[in-house]
Amino acid sequence: MGTSVRVTPLCGVYNENPLSYLVSIDGFNFLVDCGWNDHFDPSHLQPLARVASTIDAVLLSHADTLHLGALPYAMKRLGLSSPHFGKGEGIVIAPHVAGHLLGGTIWKITKDGEDVIYAVDFNHRKERHLNGTVLGSFVRPAVLITDAYNALNNQPYRRQNDKEFGDILKKTLRAGGNVLLPVDTVGRVLELILMLELYWADENLNCPIYFLTYVASSTIDYVKSFLEWMSDTIAKSFEKTHCYACTCWYVTLLINKTELDNAPDGPKVVLASMASLEAGFSHDIFVEWANDVKNLVLFTERGQFATLARMLQADPPPKAVKVVVSKCVPLVGEELIAYEEEQNRIKKEALKASLMKEEELKTSHGADNDTSDPMVIDSGNNHVPPEVTGPRGGGYRDIFVDGFVPPSTSVAPIFPCYENTSEWDDFGETWTSDQTAMHGGSDIKGKLDEGAASLILDTKPSKVVSDERTVQVRCSLVYMNSEGRSDGRSIKNILSHVAPLKLVLVHGSAEATEHLKQHCLKHVCPHVYAPQIEETIDVTSDLCAYKVQLSEKLMSNVLFKKLGDYEIAWVDAVVGKTENDPLSLLPVSGAAPPHKSVLVGDLKLADIKQFLSSMGVQVEFAGGALRCGEYVTLRKVGDASQKGGGSGAQQIVIEGPLCEDYYKIRDYLYSQFYLL
């Protein structure tokens, strides 16, 4: 049998919940994506909790909440460690461009020559800041895991979409209204910023645009260092102008709500986090602006399931919605006293545990606990000199070294060593302003926004107070698709071209999943699976794989030709046995039998059209064929997705009279392929 492949969905099948799947390759367990939603509901992670300890490696496809939001929680609470050692011999992992988000990845996992491809949320279209996906370059993988999220949706052309986007912005601003675009802190917002910058420059608009997140300036600064991950257009522009991508000429970066409140009155466009409207600046701005009929909330992506954004998209205004408004207030009175007492108790217990640990260490080294050590400062002494106290006033256990002559009771003379007793939470170490100054971190410009830093360094005891309000929604709500995913028509075309041997569908509504499943059964491959949560499916290849040794005598007569990342050759051989190897390919006895010529390469009419045009041939599409010059026509016949166990070979047929153009175009085509 071939490489063993098993797929178990942990979240995100037959619905639009976060993505998380267990993929096992010959017993090596990959966790592919580890998503969560903006509700952060732990119930979604129960299937993951049951298998977290068995996971060997984690692969993440996109840097957003739906794909990696649960990873910190899983590492801290669910026992996810992913050692990735001692197993997985022979498995090769390769990332490829997905085209949806900056750094978005299609994963190709290869074992014994068989490919398992995980491709979700891909985008075939080239955008302003990203190139399109390379998924279409793969042909006949053993297993393809992809999503059905957009299977029922078709998108307008980009030029039409951009025009409608600009028109509705101008209409709202000229009427004196404000525009709110709920966005994530990084990701698709980069495309929106570039779109707005170009539109404002072309239309010579003067209404202000604000990008409001706690890390707005950090986001833009960091993006400038990722030119190699962005589109060819941006790279070429930088080479000519040395101007970084996402340089904001019209967009003003804000890091707190106060800056927006202090902005001049008048129409404005605000891109604010978060896209779901469940929390963040967008939530607060929506509550303030929703009651004004002149304002507009412009959604550029479908809201997460069961969020305020999704509810507003499904049922347009006017209507009333209930929202929860939360704010952080300082602790006062009895609450503050109780908090301080609890913190003191925790510190005393931590100090007691530290002292007990040190005493146990001294005992293990044979130290005499009854004899006082003049080199040790007793942290229990109430008169500890200030020069040996910690930044929070607690005594350090310090060592005085005078001539390196210790008493017989000490373990060894050592230099002062302060134990790091900082507090930790699920997201890392908690730092105070004193610690930041000690480590030279007082100047955080360029690393953290001032607003974000103030949140981190603010150690005042506080609590969150929430109240439910009813908001009358009278503003306009518009959804314009700018989520950067391939639509249903394109997904079907790409799957037909890739033509996997087996196809696994995940992440999409039940209707979209069943629709795409039935289409693929008819037009893509006969083995299409759509498993339920925690249902393990075996998609092991039906092919048998054997390892054979290529004998030196055979290889000495083989001529290889380079094709992309591979070298290919036609080999006539017989399987035999040698003294050292159980199976080997040996040269045939006598003359090799003749075989038909084989042209190896990727048959894309669009690429052929571009090549012939560059050679000076007049080419145009007509009726699904390429009309070349006046007499010659090129047609593509056969299909890589044909069923019945066929080889999936495709052909280019040249039609026309035997004239000079015919032979010239034929020679041009031959030059683009390898003849075996």
Side-chain angles (χ1 to χ4, degrees), residues 610-623:
Q610 184 177 1
F611 169 70
L612 292 177
S613 297
S614 68
M615 302 303 295
V617 180
Q618 292 184 344
V619 188
E620 62 179 359
F621 277 107

Side-chain angles (χ1 to χ4, degrees), residues 148-287:
Y149 185 78
N150 252 4
L152 297 176
N153 300 321
N154 291 319
Q155 301 171 358
Y157 291 107
R158 173 176 148 179
R159 183 175 299 177
Q160 176 187 349
N161 192 66
D162 290 353
K163 182 180 183 303
E164 293 176 355
F165 182 87
D167 289 346
I168 195 168
L169 286 179
K170 284 197 300 185
K171 180 181 178 181
T172 302
L173 296 173
R174 288 174 177 173
N178 299 317
V179 180
L180 170 63
L181 284 83
V183 296
D184 287 328
T185 54
V186 67
R188 295 302 306 171
V189 68
L190 302 178
E191 183 73 11
L192 293 175
I193 288 176
L194 287 175
M195 184 189 303
L196 291 170
E197 286 280 341
L198 293 173
Y199 189 78
W200 251 240
D202 292 342
E203 298 292 327
N204 196 25
L205 300 177
N206 55 14
C207 292
I209 309 172
Y210 300 107
F211 177 35
L212 174 59
T213 75
Y214 283 119
V215 291
S217 58
S218 294
T219 298
I220 300 302
D221 287 341
Y222 289 145
V223 164
K224 294 176 182 178
S225 63
F226 288 96
L227 282 177
E228 68 274 18
W229 298 86
M230 306 181 83
S231 68
D232 298 336
T233 303
I234 286 181
K236 292 177 181 177
S237 175
F238 178 77
E239 291 176 359
K240 293 180 179 178
T241 65
H242 296 284
C243 182
Y244 285 103
C246 291
T247 299
C248 297
W249 303 105
Y250 298 93
V251 177
T252 302
L253 309 180
L254 305 181
I255 55 178
N256 59 62
K257 181 69 161 44
T258 303
E259 291 181 305
L260 179 64
D261 295 337
N262 294 335
D265 294 334
K268 61 181 71 70
V269 177
V270 179
L271 299 91
S273 60
M274 299 175 59
S276 65
L277 289 180
E278 285 295 310
F281 293 128
S282 64
H283 174 88
D284 299 338
I285 296 172
F286 170 77
V287 172

Side-chain angles (χ1 to χ4, degrees), residues 18-19 34-45 64-71 73-74 304:
L19 297 84
C34 187
W36 218 351
N37 58 20
D38 287 356
H39 290 298
F40 301 104
D41 183 0
S43 65
H44 286 151
L45 306 183
D64 62 359
T65 309
L66 284 176
H67 297 85
L68 59 73
L71 186 61
Y73 185 89
Q304 295 180 17

